[in-house]
Amino acid sequence: MKRILTYGTFDLLHYGHIRLLKRAKELGDYLIVAVSTDEFNSIKQKKSYHNYETRKKMLEAIRYVDLVIPEDSWDQKINDVETYHVDTVVMGSDWTGNENFEKLKDYCDVVYLERTEGISTSQIKRELGLQKPINGVDQIPEPKNK
Ligand code: C2G
């Protein structure tokens, strides 16, 4: 059984994430996703819309995903590869050559898959003009064509 591992925040799940997970699964038989905890997100200077539990549940509902584990530090990766007997770590091409993944080549294969153009969580947030709820009520942005 070929075991694949990938890492990410996976906030506001979109087809770029799904395409990455689909192609990662196609490289093996069992896909583990290490999803960033809210605390690790702040280390990455990322504020996700959905909290860790929600992002974990959404990933667990995806047919390509077999196991979801927490990612709470940069330096857990070697331990993850050994603990889960990982054959291949897969990341999107925006991570190509990043030392956090290059160092894993002593322990497993590392594959960077082409990032899906034209979609990202930050683009979705920007285009939706997501505003903070006021008194707990979400503010629906005015339609742009008004
Ligand atoms: N991705 C993609 N295409 C997009 C957007 C994202 O292929 N349009 C990929 C990224 O390259 C990454 C994965 O989807 O491999 C998850 O992306 P993010 O949720 O943005 O995760 P990131 O912030 O890159 O966190 O330790 C590594 C980090 O946790 C990765």
Side-chain angles (χ1 to χ4, degrees), residues 6-11 14 16-17 20 23 36 40 44 46 71 74 77 91-95 101 114-117 119-120:
T6 190
Y7 293 84
T9 299
F10 295 100
D11 189 32
H14 55 67
H17 294 138
L20 187 281
R23 287 174 294 156
S36 310
F40 185 53
K44 292 196 293 184
K46 270 191 154 181
E71 178 190 29
W74 285 113
K77 296 180 171 56
M91 290 302 288
S93 53
D94 47 317
W95 288 93
F101 298 99
E114 204 47 47
R115 184 185 169 85
T116 301
E117 290 310 313
I119 186 76
S120 70

Side-chain angles (χ1 to χ4, degrees), residues 35-95:
V35 62
S36 310
T37 59
D38 299 326
E39 297 72 19
F40 185 53
N41 266 341
S42 35
I43 293 171
K44 292 196 293 184
Q45 262 113 48
K46 270 191 154 181
K47 173 98 186 66
S48 60
Y49 182 83
H50 291 303
N51 67 20
Y52 168 76
E53 277 311 316
T54 300
R55 289 181 284 115
K56 178 173 189 285
K57 286 197 181 80
M58 289 173 80
L59 285 162
E60 286 168 341
I62 298 171
R63 69 173 66 180
Y64 310 119
V65 176
D66 297 288
L67 175 68
V68 179
I69 62 173
E71 178 190 29
D72 42 33
S73 75
W74 285 113
D75 46 26
Q76 72 182 68
K77 296 180 171 56
I78 293 172
N79 186 50
D80 290 343
V81 168
E82 292 183 333
T83 305
Y84 295 96
H85 310 293
V86 169
D87 298 288
T88 308
V89 165
V90 172
M91 290 302 288
S93 53
D94 47 317
W95 288 93

